[in-house]
Amino acid sequence: MPFKYKANLTKHKYKMEDFGQGRDKDKDEVYTKAVKAGKRTYFMDVKEMKSGELYLTITESKRQFDESQSKFVFEKHKIFLYKEDFEKFVKALTQTIGFIETGEIPEEDKIEVSVKETTYPKAVSDVDLEFDNLGSNH
C-alpha cells in the first residue's frame, strides 16, 4: 500500500507536547524492533503522539569504553521519521543500498546530474581569482 504525503517534508509543525512529554515512557511506545550488528544495536521504535499519530524513531546505540569514567557507556544517535516521509525515505534508502551493491547510479540521479551540469557549466577551476587584491581600494 503506497503512502500518501500530507505535509511539506521539510517543515513539521509538531509541538513537544504532541510527543507525550511527561507521560509514562512505555505508554507512547507502540512497537520496538532491535537489530544487533557487531558493537552497534539499531532500535526502530514506533511511538504515538497525543494526537494518535504514529511516528518512527531510529536509534543507533554503540557501546564504547569511556576512559575518563573507566567504564563502558552507550553513545546514541537518533532520527525521527514521520509517516508522510516514509515513501521518500524508503526509496532513497533502497536506491543507496542498490548503489552500494551494484555501483550503478539510479537513472533519476543521472538526470539530476546532467541538469546541474547544464545549469552550472563553468567549473570553479575555470574561474580566475586573484586573492592579492582582496580588500584593497583599487
Side-chain angles (χ1 to χ4, degrees):
M1 171 188 290
F3 294 101
K4 298 199 178 190
Y5 297 102
K6 296 188 285 188
N8 180 339
L9 298 180
T10 58
K11 295 181 182 175
H12 297 285
K13 296 182 180 178
Y14 299 120
K15 299 175 185 165
M16 289 310 290
E17 58 266 18
D18 293 337
F19 294 96
Q21 299 299 319
R23 292 172 42 189
D24 182 1
K25 196 173 187 177
D26 293 334
K27 284 187 180 179
D28 64 349
E29 203 164 279
V30 178
Y31 176 81
T32 297
K33 184 76 173 177
V35 178
K36 293 186 186 264
K39 291 182 179 181
R40 300 174 199 278
T41 303
Y42 299 96
F43 296 94
M44 288 167 261
D45 301 313
V46 177
K47 296 186 178 187
E48 184 176 2
M49 292 186 275
K50 280 185 176 181
S51 66
E53 288 286 322
L54 299 178
Y55 66 99
L56 171 67
T57 63
I58 301 173
T59 306
E60 174 204 36
S61 179
K62 182 178 179 184
R63 185 177 174 212
Q64 293 186 319
F65 188 75
D66 184 344
E67 292 183 22
S68 66
Q69 296 181 29
S70 298
K71 67 178 185 176
F72 283 98
V73 295
F74 290 91
E75 182 181 299
K76 296 180 181 183
H77 303 276
K78 186 177 284 199
I79 64 167
F80 293 80
L81 188 61
Y82 305 96
K83 190 174 4 179
E84 60 266 17
D85 301 341
F86 289 172
E87 188 174 306
K88 284 188 174 185
F89 184 87
V90 169
K91 181 179 180 182
L93 180 61
T94 302
Q95 289 176 337
T96 304
I97 291 169
F99 174 78
I100 291 169
E101 291 175 342
T102 66
E104 293 185 26
I105 296 173
E107 284 301 315
E108 69 185 44
D109 290 345
K110 290 178 185 175
I111 293 167
E112 253 183 54
V113 169
S114 69
V115 168
K116 286 180 184 175
E117 287 172 358
T118 58
T119 307
Y120 305 105
K122 198 168 204 170
V124 173
S125 62
D126 295 339
V127 177
D128 185 22
L129 294 176
E130 291 186 32
F131 292 101
D132 296 337
N133 295 332
L134 291 177
S136 66
N137 291 332
H138 350 19

